Amino acid sequence: MEYKNIIIKIEDSIAFLIISRPKALNALNSDVLSELECALYDLENNNDVKCIIITGDGDKAFVAGADIKEMLGMDAIAAAAFAKKGHRIIRFIRKMQKPVIAAVNGYALGGGFELALACDIIYASENAKLGFPEVTLGIMPGFGGTQNLVRVCGEKVANELIFTGKMISAVRAKELNVVCEVLKDKDSLMEKALETAKKIAFNSPKGVAFAKNAILTGVNMNLSEALDYESTLFGLLFNTEDQKEGMSAFVEKRKAEFKGK
Ligand code: DAK
């Protein structure tokens, strides 16, 4: 697929997926969603990629939401197709074996905040502003925002943010455990995201993928079932080459070279 609204760069096993519609503050229209879906699928199946960083082009916005101008003209059929595409992306990111880091620069609003919340790790620059303005537009968050925010910050905070539509700063988002770290500017944001991605890429892809699965699946189970699930995945890792390589490398006092098999 030819990309017109996103840029993909792959360097040293790390993929950068840059959403690039700067004139519309990187708002998500149907074309962006189609390109995002296709790119994420390709990156998940690309053996040269171990971790993905999603960011927005420019300093002003990560993603300022779904495209309001496109949504204004949608009928129920078009809106349903748009919603399905968005949901497929959010679900796919959660199910991907490879970790996805959101590097939030500037506005992350509505669908943009939801995209970031679907990612495994969020870093933000000091100028980031995050929020759900949907209720000011006569709708509600619909790309997983109501479900993912409540799981991160709890019901009362999610209620306040979603019912008021107010924006919060990166520092407040860090206090609420939405963001892992706040960085001074876009350069330091990207450096931090890359540093983390490189650390992840150095580790066992199978270990990382199974841990992601255990965390995301287990959170919807009761603790007893979740612990059983964790032990099953833990056991399965002993059937992988990564486990043999990681433990052999330790015993042989050398660096492990994982193949993700
Ligand atoms: N959509 C379309 N265009 C947008 C946009 C957006 N979300 N956000 C900004 N733009 C465009 C502006 O229209 C403007 O374009 P021109 O008018 O110059 O052509 C350009 O980007 C620059 O924006 P501003 O001139 O407004 O820039 P400012 O610095 O003054 O303000 C702002 C920045 C981010 C505060 C402001 O642009 C703003 O409030 N933008 C809207 C933010 C917003 O409400 N986002 C939430 C959208 S609703 C669904 C699931 C999920 C969703 C939808 C459906 N289903 C399940 C069906 C998600 C919904 C949303 O995300």
Side-chain angles (χ1 to χ4, degrees):
M1 178 178 206
E2 191 195 340
Y3 299 130
K4 294 192 176 132
N5 302 285
I6 63 173
I7 300 163
I8 305 285
K9 289 185 201 162
I10 301 175
E11 290 163 19
D12 300 332
S13 306
I14 314 297
F16 293 84
L17 195 168
I18 302 158
I19 300 170
S20 183
R21 276 187 85 208
K23 284 185 186 153
L25 301 186
N26 305 323
L28 303 171
N29 63 15
S30 307
D31 290 343
V32 181
L33 290 182
S34 297
E35 291 179 24
L36 258 179
E37 189 176 12
C38 185
L40 286 167
Y41 182 83
D42 281 351
L43 294 173
E44 174 74 340
N45 290 294
N46 182 340
N47 289 335
D48 296 332
V49 172
K50 293 196 172 140
C51 188
I52 294 139
I53 298 171
I54 301 185
T55 195
D57 205 357
D59 294 334
K60 208 172 162 190
F62 173 72
V63 168
D67 191 309
I68 300 169
K69 292 169 190 168
E70 186 183 36
M71 286 192 293
L72 175 64
M74 279 180 188
D75 60 17
I77 303 234
F82 187 67
K84 281 199 180 124
K85 212 182 274 186
H87 273 218
R88 280 202 304 268
I89 292 170
I90 300 303
R91 285 174 200 268
F92 187 69
I93 293 173
R94 307 295 273 174
K95 287 196 185 304
M96 282 173 79
Q97 300 220 0
K98 297 171 186 176
V100 183
I101 299 174
V104 173
N105 47 309
Y107 294 109
L109 302 175
F113 192 7
E114 293 175 302
L115 177 63
L117 281 170
C119 296
D120 302 301
I121 294 171
I122 308 180
Y123 294 120
S125 53
E126 274 177 13
N127 75 338
K129 287 199 167 56
L130 306 96
F132 284 119
E134 280 88 343
V135 293
T136 71
L137 297 165
I139 54 172
M140 60 174 271
F143 286 161
T146 59
Q147 302 312 306
N148 287 328
L149 188 65
V150 76
R151 283 165 169 76
V152 176
C153 325
E155 182 196 329
K156 307 305 172 209
V157 169
N159 289 345
E160 190 205 19
L161 285 184
I162 293 171
F163 299 169
T164 61
K166 73 177 184 182
M167 292 184 210
I168 56 168
S169 67
V171 170
R172 180 67 183 138
K174 165 89 174 65
E175 285 167 6
L176 295 174
N177 292 331
V178 169
V179 159
C180 298
E181 198 168 323
V182 179
L183 290 307
K184 188 165 58 72
D185 52 25
K186 175 112 190 239
D187 286 347
S188 32
L189 171 70
M190 296 315 292
E191 270 169 33
K192 179 70 200 180
L194 184 58
E195 179 194 307
T196 299
K198 280 185 177 165
K199 279 192 184 138
I200 292 170
F202 187 73
N203 292 331
S204 149
K206 282 285 176 234
V208 170
F210 279 40
K212 173 170 171 172
N213 184 327
I215 292 166
L216 288 175
T217 309
V219 87
N220 294 319
M221 295 173 166
N222 67 43
L223 183 59
S224 174
E225 286 167 359
L227 289 171
D228 284 345
Y229 189 65
E230 182 193 63
S231 56
T232 302
L233 291 184
F234 179 83
L236 283 176
L237 282 171
F238 284 72
N239 270 0
T240 66
E241 289 178 24
D242 276 7
Q243 178 264 337
K244 305 293 172 234
E245 169 61 11
M247 294 194 178
S248 304
F250 176 81
V251 172
E252 293 160 17
K253 299 188 188 302
R254 61 176 174 82
K255 282 191 175 165
E257 286 184 29
F258 294 112
K259 296 201 175 85
K261 290 186 178 165

